[in-house]
Amino acid sequence: MAFKRIDTKLIHAGQPRIAGAVEMPIFQSAMFEYAGETSYHDLGYIRLNNTPNHRALHAKLAALEGSEDALIAASGMAAISTTLLTILSAGDHLLAQSTLYGGTQYLITHDFPKLGIAIDLIDADDASSWRAKLRPNTKAIYVEAMTNPLLDVADLEGIVGFARANNLVSLIDNTFATPVNFRPIEVGFDLVLHSATKYLNGHADIVGGAVAGCADWIKRITHRMNHLGGCMDPHAAFLLNRGLMTLALRIRHQNQSTLRIAQFLQGHPAVAKVNYAGLESHPRHARARKLFGGFGGVLSFEMRGSAEQADQLFEKVTLPAVAPSLGGIRSLITRPAVTSHAGLSRDERFRAGISDGLIRLSVGIEDTDDLIEDLEQALRLIS
Ligand code: PLP
């Protein structure tokens, strides 16, 4: 194969040449002419996830994650919910990391019990916690590559071993790492999920999701999605394909930039603590170093003063936009207590290690020195 390495796969994998077009056109047609298909799932229709824009992305994502197949979805949550609802039915039990993205956590802890699916939250770093909660009806185990917003890295290899030994389907949300920094299939995970809204598209102008894994699982998940309806629109698929072309360039820049910003913040007298797995002081630095090619573009930190200081900082920075979400070209700054984790009670947030004043920074592709100078002037003004 001419495209073995990720930068080349991002440009070439899955990309057909249609009518001589060098770049992938948008097939904005709801249906396609009947061509003798014998299965409902093969009829040409956007909801059935089989337009040329869908197919091109499925092949590209599979090549990036090193999986047999992949499926794109209308959002990260569409990919996550459809995948879990393919694996789990009433009477089944799921083990899930206790620090998951809020939307996923809400889905499994509030909606799944109503469907008869039992769940237990586990400390993904503590094997005794998984063993103690394993039941005869446990079907799957679900974790994230890096936790949000504390950027912790769980015992991912241990989770895979435990899943294999107990015949569980292992799932991982790889949104924060991306296939540039980490390819979970290579360490043995069964299914890899993404919010493509974040790094994969990278331009903060669509929502999207993806799941990658073996052909059999992806077929089953596709058929489930064909009925649940969480398909991606071809225009969004076009934008996602275009955004993906620069994924490796963006991620490498963001890896380097975020490490430098983390080091700058760690050395600043107004900053009490920085969470970034790329820092040698991070408790999971060695594990992250072993598993990942880079440490990603998100860090979080706490100021020495009160939570109000965080809001003052937001007024003084000029480059990062104060907005939720992450993973795009533009730096974004938020307070998880009032955005991603606003759904948790204050107690729950504290137990999860998320203080009121914790600040999360998603580093874009602006010049690193400009970002550091901007943070420096803002910190000077408020401290
Ligand atoms: N997974 C992670 C780690 C996320 O951060 C998010 C969104 O913030 C999601 C999944 C959900 O993705 P979406 O917003 O595309 O539905």
Side-chain angles (χ1 to χ4, degrees):
M1 205 197 301
F3 40 92
K4 282 189 278 200
R5 297 176 183 84
I6 199 153
D7 299 71
T8 316
K9 287 178 184 177
L10 285 164
I11 308 299
H12 292 273
Q15 188 123 338
R17 278 282 157 78
I18 297 171
V22 171
E23 292 306 337
M24 184 72 195
I26 312 177
F27 285 80
Q28 197 72 44
S29 176
M31 67 290 280
F32 290 74
E33 282 182 324
Y34 178 67
E37 295 86 3
T38 51
S39 152
Y40 167 74
H41 297 286
D42 295 331
L43 296 174
Y45 188 53
I46 292 177
R47 178 167 47 75
L48 302 179
N49 296 292
N50 55 20
T51 74
N53 293 99
H54 287 91
R55 290 183 196 283
L57 272 174
H58 296 162
K60 182 166 284 183
L61 284 163
L64 299 179
E65 287 290 1
S67 61
E68 280 178 11
D69 206 353
L71 171 69
I72 51 165
S75 66
M77 285 311 299
I80 292 165
S81 56
T82 308
T83 299
L84 286 172
L85 290 172
T86 306
I87 298 166
L88 302 164
S89 314
D92 291 339
H93 175 241
L94 170 72
L95 292 173
Q97 190 171 8
S98 59
T99 50
L100 295 179
Y101 163 67
T104 312
Q105 182 130 348
Y106 192 91
L107 173 80
I108 62 174
T109 56
H110 288 76
D111 297 323
F112 278 14
K114 291 183 209 150
L115 301 174
I117 301 166
I119 78 128
D120 265 309
L121 298 179
I122 51 159
D123 177 347
D125 232 7
D126 174 9
S128 65
S129 126
W130 329 327
R131 276 192 224 106
K133 303 230 164 105
L134 187 70
R135 301 186 197 169
N137 59 341
T138 309
K139 277 276 171 63
I141 188 161
Y142 189 105
V143 295
E144 288 178 357
M146 277 189 249
T147 66
N148 175 23
L150 297 177
L151 291 316
D152 202 1
V153 183
D155 180 5
L156 303 177
E157 290 172 305
I159 294 275
V160 166
F162 176 77
R164 292 219 163 138
N166 295 287
N167 216 11
L168 312 181
V169 182
S170 53
L171 300 102
I172 183 165
D173 182 330
N174 199 30
T175 301
F176 270 60
T178 84
V180 177
N181 283 338
F182 181 46
R183 287 162 303 284
I185 300 278
E186 288 174 6
V187 302
F189 276 95
D190 293 314
L191 289 165
V192 182
L193 293 141
H194 282 279
S195 167
T197 315
K198 313 295 184 313
Y199 290 104
L200 295 188
N201 176 57
H203 292 69
D205 49 12
I206 62 160
V207 280
V211 51
C214 73
D216 183 47
W217 270 123
I218 297 300
K219 188 173 174 186
R220 286 200 254 171
I221 298 163
T222 305
H223 289 185
R224 179 48 62 105
M225 191 182 286
N226 290 349
H227 290 127
L228 292 179
C231 62
M232 180 178 267
D233 179 80
H235 186 245
F238 166 80
L239 288 173
L240 174 55
N241 189 50
R242 194 171 65 169
L244 273 169
M245 304 278 179
T246 55
L247 179 72
L249 294 175
R250 287 185 279 110
I251 296 295
R252 273 188 221 113
H253 178 83
Q254 284 164 310
N255 285 341
Q256 284 174 12
S257 202
T258 312
L259 180 58
R260 273 194 55 209
I261 293 169
Q263 286 162 341
F264 158 74
L265 287 170
Q266 196 173 40
H268 198 284
V271 174
K273 186 168 186 240
V274 183
N275 304 303
Y276 187 63
L279 293 174
E280 280 173 27
S281 56
H282 190 282
R284 296 291 168 235
H285 175 69
R287 179 182 288 158
R289 219 189 166 82
K290 179 177 170 218
L291 290 171
F292 302 158
F295 307 102
V298 178
L299 61 80
S300 62
F301 63 102
E302 283 181 58
M303 312 266 299
R304 291 205 187 277
S306 61
E308 286 74 57
Q309 262 206 329
D311 290 332
Q312 288 166 12
L313 183 81
F314 292 181
E315 280 169 25
K316 302 294 181 211
V317 288
T318 61
L319 291 177
V322 181
S325 199
L326 58 106
I329 46 173
R330 185 179 303 278
S331 294
L332 302 173
I333 198 161
T334 56
R335 201 145 68 77
V338 294
T339 54
S340 57
H341 292 71
L344 302 184
S345 70
R346 196 155 186 265
D347 263 11
E348 284 173 319
R349 274 203 311 276
F350 266 71
R351 261 183 273 125
I354 299 159
S355 68
D356 285 342
L358 185 76
I359 296 168
R360 187 187 76 186
L361 178 67
S362 168
V363 177
I365 59 166
E366 299 96 335
D367 185 278
T368 315
D369 289 329
D370 284 344
L371 287 170
I372 290 177
E373 283 168 22
D374 190 29
L375 285 165
E376 195 166 34
Q377 64 79 27
L379 288 166
R380 199 179 321 120
L381 287 175
I382 62 163
S383 48

